[in-house]
Short mmCIF file of all heavy atoms in Angstrom, two decimals:
data_model
loop_
_atom_site.label_atom_id
_atom_site.label_comp_id
_atom_site.label_asym_id
_atom_site.label_seq_id
_atom_site.Cartn_x
_atom_site.Cartn_y
_atom_site.Cartn_z
N ILE S 24 75.92 180.42 66.53
CA ILE S 24 76.53 180.18 65.24
C ILE S 24 75.50 180.43 64.11
O ILE S 24 74.38 179.99 64.19
CB ILE S 24 76.92 178.59 65.13
CG1 ILE S 24 77.94 178.30 66.14
CG2 ILE S 24 77.46 178.29 63.70
CD1 ILE S 24 78.31 176.83 66.28
N GLU S 25 75.92 181.24 63.13
CA GLU S 25 75.01 181.54 62.01
C GLU S 25 75.08 180.40 61.01
O GLU S 25 76.06 179.65 60.95
CB GLU S 25 75.42 182.95 61.37
CG GLU S 25 75.20 184.12 62.28
CD GLU S 25 75.39 185.43 61.59
OE1 GLU S 25 76.32 185.39 60.63
OE2 GLU S 25 74.83 186.42 61.94
N VAL S 26 74.08 180.39 60.17
CA VAL S 26 73.98 179.36 59.08
C VAL S 26 74.00 180.07 57.75
O VAL S 26 73.10 180.75 57.37
CB VAL S 26 72.72 178.48 59.30
CG1 VAL S 26 72.64 177.47 58.15
CG2 VAL S 26 72.70 177.83 60.62
N ILE S 27 75.03 179.74 56.94
CA ILE S 27 75.19 180.20 55.57
C ILE S 27 74.86 179.01 54.64
O ILE S 27 75.53 177.96 54.73
CB ILE S 27 76.50 180.78 55.26
CG1 ILE S 27 76.81 181.82 56.31
CG2 ILE S 27 76.54 181.32 53.86
CD1 ILE S 27 76.04 183.07 56.25
N LEU S 28 73.87 179.06 53.80
CA LEU S 28 73.43 177.98 52.96
C LEU S 28 74.17 178.16 51.56
O LEU S 28 74.10 179.16 50.95
CB LEU S 28 71.97 178.01 52.70
CG LEU S 28 71.30 176.82 52.16
CD1 LEU S 28 71.48 175.58 53.12
CD2 LEU S 28 69.76 177.05 51.92
N ASP S 29 74.83 177.06 51.19
CA ASP S 29 75.45 177.00 49.89
C ASP S 29 74.41 176.62 48.83
O ASP S 29 73.85 175.53 48.87
CB ASP S 29 76.59 175.90 49.88
CG ASP S 29 77.48 175.98 48.67
OD1 ASP S 29 77.00 176.41 47.59
OD2 ASP S 29 78.70 175.63 48.80
N VAL S 30 74.15 177.57 47.95
CA VAL S 30 73.05 177.32 46.93
C VAL S 30 73.71 177.25 45.53
O VAL S 30 74.55 178.04 45.16
CB VAL S 30 72.02 178.46 46.99
CG1 VAL S 30 71.21 178.25 48.30
CG2 VAL S 30 72.62 179.80 46.95
N VAL S 31 73.09 176.33 44.73
CA VAL S 31 73.64 176.05 43.41
C VAL S 31 72.49 176.31 42.45
O VAL S 31 71.82 175.39 42.01
CB VAL S 31 74.26 174.72 43.24
CG1 VAL S 31 74.88 174.48 41.86
CG2 VAL S 31 75.27 174.44 44.35
N TYR S 32 72.29 177.60 42.07
CA TYR S 32 71.20 177.96 41.16
C TYR S 32 71.69 178.03 39.72
O TYR S 32 70.88 178.32 38.85
CB TYR S 32 70.55 179.29 41.56
CG TYR S 32 69.87 179.28 42.88
CD1 TYR S 32 70.27 180.13 43.91
CD2 TYR S 32 68.79 178.46 43.09
CE1 TYR S 32 69.67 180.14 45.13
CE2 TYR S 32 68.13 178.45 44.29
CZ TYR S 32 68.53 179.33 45.33
OH TYR S 32 67.86 179.36 46.52
N ASN S 33 72.93 177.90 39.47
CA ASN S 33 73.49 178.12 38.10
C ASN S 33 73.22 176.98 37.13
O ASN S 33 73.25 177.25 35.88
CB ASN S 33 74.93 178.42 38.23
CG ASN S 33 75.73 177.29 38.83
OD1 ASN S 33 76.02 176.27 38.24
ND2 ASN S 33 76.12 177.48 40.14
N HIS S 34 73.00 175.79 37.59
CA HIS S 34 72.73 174.63 36.68
C HIS S 34 71.81 173.58 37.38
O HIS S 34 71.55 173.66 38.59
CB HIS S 34 74.05 174.01 36.26
CG HIS S 34 74.71 173.20 37.33
ND1 HIS S 34 75.54 173.82 38.31
CD2 HIS S 34 74.74 171.87 37.55
CE1 HIS S 34 75.92 172.88 39.12
NE2 HIS S 34 75.48 171.69 38.69
N THR S 35 71.43 172.55 36.68
CA THR S 35 70.71 171.47 37.23
C THR S 35 71.33 170.14 36.81
O THR S 35 72.36 170.14 36.10
CB THR S 35 69.26 171.49 36.65
OG1 THR S 35 69.19 170.95 35.37
CG2 THR S 35 68.65 172.85 36.67
N ALA S 36 70.74 169.07 37.31
CA ALA S 36 71.27 167.68 37.09
C ALA S 36 70.91 167.16 35.73
O ALA S 36 71.23 165.99 35.40
CB ALA S 36 70.76 166.75 38.18
N GLU S 37 70.19 168.01 34.87
CA GLU S 37 69.78 167.42 33.59
C GLU S 37 70.87 167.40 32.56
O GLU S 37 70.69 166.83 31.48
CB GLU S 37 68.55 168.21 33.09
CG GLU S 37 67.28 167.99 33.97
CD GLU S 37 66.10 168.59 33.34
OE1 GLU S 37 66.05 169.88 33.26
OE2 GLU S 37 65.13 167.95 33.00
N GLY S 38 72.01 168.04 32.89
CA GLY S 38 73.16 167.95 32.03
C GLY S 38 72.96 168.62 30.70
O GLY S 38 72.17 169.52 30.55
N ASN S 39 73.73 168.17 29.62
CA ASN S 39 73.66 168.73 28.38
C ASN S 39 72.46 168.23 27.59
O ASN S 39 71.57 167.61 28.15
CB ASN S 39 74.99 168.60 27.58
CG ASN S 39 75.28 167.14 27.42
OD1 ASN S 39 74.46 166.21 27.42
ND2 ASN S 39 76.62 166.92 27.09
N HIS S 40 72.48 168.40 26.26
CA HIS S 40 71.34 168.04 25.43
C HIS S 40 71.15 166.49 25.41
O HIS S 40 70.06 165.98 25.01
CB HIS S 40 71.44 168.55 23.97
CG HIS S 40 72.71 167.98 23.27
ND1 HIS S 40 73.97 168.39 23.54
CD2 HIS S 40 72.73 167.07 22.26
CE1 HIS S 40 74.79 167.72 22.73
NE2 HIS S 40 74.11 166.93 21.95
N MET S 41 72.17 165.76 25.78
CA MET S 41 72.10 164.29 25.81
C MET S 41 71.72 163.74 27.25
O MET S 41 71.58 162.55 27.43
CB MET S 41 73.48 163.65 25.48
CG MET S 41 73.95 164.02 24.01
SD MET S 41 72.87 163.38 22.73
CE MET S 41 73.33 161.63 22.97
N GLY S 42 71.51 164.65 28.16
CA GLY S 42 71.21 164.27 29.55
C GLY S 42 69.73 163.85 29.72
O GLY S 42 68.90 163.94 28.78
N PRO S 43 69.45 163.35 30.92
CA PRO S 43 68.08 162.97 31.20
C PRO S 43 67.09 164.06 31.36
O PRO S 43 67.47 165.21 31.70
CB PRO S 43 68.24 162.17 32.57
CG PRO S 43 69.38 162.91 33.29
CD PRO S 43 70.32 163.23 32.12
N THR S 44 65.86 163.81 31.02
CA THR S 44 64.81 164.83 31.21
C THR S 44 64.16 164.50 32.60
O THR S 44 63.45 163.52 32.74
CB THR S 44 63.72 164.74 30.15
OG1 THR S 44 64.34 165.07 28.86
CG2 THR S 44 62.61 165.72 30.39
N LEU S 45 64.41 165.40 33.55
CA LEU S 45 63.94 165.17 34.93
C LEU S 45 63.02 166.20 35.34
O LEU S 45 62.09 165.91 36.13
CB LEU S 45 65.25 165.18 35.92
CG LEU S 45 66.36 164.23 35.58
CD1 LEU S 45 67.52 164.51 36.48
CD2 LEU S 45 65.83 162.84 35.75
N SER S 46 63.12 167.45 34.93
CA SER S 46 62.20 168.53 35.34
C SER S 46 62.05 169.61 34.36
O SER S 46 61.22 169.59 33.49
CB SER S 46 62.70 169.06 36.66
OG SER S 46 64.08 169.49 36.61
N PHE S 47 62.96 170.63 34.41
CA PHE S 47 62.79 171.86 33.67
C PHE S 47 62.82 171.63 32.15
O PHE S 47 62.14 172.31 31.44
CB PHE S 47 63.82 172.86 34.01
CG PHE S 47 63.83 173.33 35.49
CD1 PHE S 47 64.98 173.47 36.18
CD2 PHE S 47 62.64 173.51 36.13
CE1 PHE S 47 64.98 173.89 37.54
CE2 PHE S 47 62.56 173.92 37.40
CZ PHE S 47 63.74 174.06 38.20
N ARG S 48 63.63 170.71 31.69
CA ARG S 48 63.69 170.42 30.29
C ARG S 48 62.32 170.02 29.81
O ARG S 48 61.90 170.35 28.66
CB ARG S 48 64.75 169.37 30.01
CG ARG S 48 64.79 168.93 28.49
CD ARG S 48 65.82 167.91 28.23
NE ARG S 48 67.18 168.44 28.42
CZ ARG S 48 68.19 167.76 29.01
NH1 ARG S 48 68.05 166.58 29.53
NH2 ARG S 48 69.37 168.36 29.09
N GLY S 49 61.62 169.23 30.48
CA GLY S 49 60.31 168.82 30.12
C GLY S 49 59.18 169.85 30.30
O GLY S 49 58.19 169.80 29.65
N LEU S 50 59.42 170.80 31.23
CA LEU S 50 58.39 171.76 31.51
C LEU S 50 58.51 172.89 30.50
O LEU S 50 57.47 173.25 29.89
CB LEU S 50 58.59 172.40 32.91
CG LEU S 50 58.38 171.37 34.01
CD1 LEU S 50 58.74 172.01 35.39
CD2 LEU S 50 56.89 170.96 34.07
N ASP S 51 59.66 173.49 30.30
CA ASP S 51 59.81 174.61 29.36
C ASP S 51 61.35 174.83 29.12
O ASP S 51 61.94 175.64 29.79
CB ASP S 51 59.16 175.90 29.91
CG ASP S 51 58.98 176.95 28.85
OD1 ASP S 51 59.80 176.93 27.86
OD2 ASP S 51 58.12 177.82 28.97
N ASN S 52 61.88 174.10 28.23
CA ASN S 52 63.30 174.04 28.03
C ASN S 52 63.92 175.47 27.79
O ASN S 52 64.90 175.84 28.41
CB ASN S 52 63.62 173.10 26.87
CG ASN S 52 65.18 172.84 26.72
OD1 ASN S 52 65.71 172.36 27.68
ND2 ASN S 52 65.62 173.07 25.55
N GLN S 53 63.33 176.25 26.96
CA GLN S 53 63.94 177.51 26.55
C GLN S 53 63.66 178.53 27.62
O GLN S 53 64.42 179.61 27.58
CB GLN S 53 63.33 177.99 25.23
CG GLN S 53 61.87 178.28 25.19
CD GLN S 53 61.45 178.77 23.78
OE1 GLN S 53 62.23 178.88 22.85
NE2 GLN S 53 60.14 178.99 23.65
N ALA S 54 62.76 178.42 28.47
CA ALA S 54 62.54 179.35 29.56
C ALA S 54 63.58 179.16 30.64
O ALA S 54 64.05 180.12 31.25
CB ALA S 54 61.11 179.22 30.17
N TYR S 55 63.86 177.88 30.97
CA TYR S 55 64.76 177.59 32.12
C TYR S 55 66.20 177.49 31.76
O TYR S 55 67.08 177.72 32.69
CB TYR S 55 64.26 176.40 32.84
CG TYR S 55 63.04 176.62 33.65
CD1 TYR S 55 61.82 176.06 33.13
CD2 TYR S 55 63.01 177.34 34.78
CE1 TYR S 55 60.67 176.28 33.89
CE2 TYR S 55 61.84 177.53 35.54
CZ TYR S 55 60.64 176.96 35.05
OH TYR S 55 59.46 177.18 35.75
N TYR S 56 66.52 177.21 30.49
CA TYR S 56 67.94 177.03 30.19
C TYR S 56 68.42 177.96 29.11
O TYR S 56 67.60 178.36 28.19
CB TYR S 56 68.17 175.56 29.63
CG TYR S 56 68.04 174.51 30.72
CD1 TYR S 56 67.01 173.56 30.65
CD2 TYR S 56 68.85 174.42 31.80
CE1 TYR S 56 66.80 172.61 31.53
CE2 TYR S 56 68.73 173.49 32.77
CZ TYR S 56 67.69 172.56 32.63
OH TYR S 56 67.59 171.64 33.61
N ARG S 57 69.71 178.38 29.13
CA ARG S 57 70.32 179.21 28.14
C ARG S 57 70.61 178.23 26.98
O ARG S 57 71.33 177.31 27.08
CB ARG S 57 71.59 179.89 28.60
CG ARG S 57 71.26 180.92 29.71
CD ARG S 57 72.40 181.88 29.78
NE ARG S 57 72.59 182.64 28.50
CZ ARG S 57 73.51 183.53 28.28
NH1 ARG S 57 74.38 183.89 29.25
NH2 ARG S 57 73.65 184.06 27.07
#
Side-chain angles (χ1 to χ4, degrees):
I24 300 174
E25 291 186 334
V26 178
I27 306 296
L28 196 63
D29 191 330
V30 289
V31 185
Y32 294 120
N33 57 78
H34 72 278
T35 76
E37 291 187 299
N39 61 19
H40 65 288
M41 299 294 290
T44 298
L45 303 173
S46 55
F47 299 139
R48 177 179 290 140
L50 294 173
D51 193 336
N52 190 53
Q53 65 180 357
Y55 288 106
Y56 292 116
R57 291 202 61 180

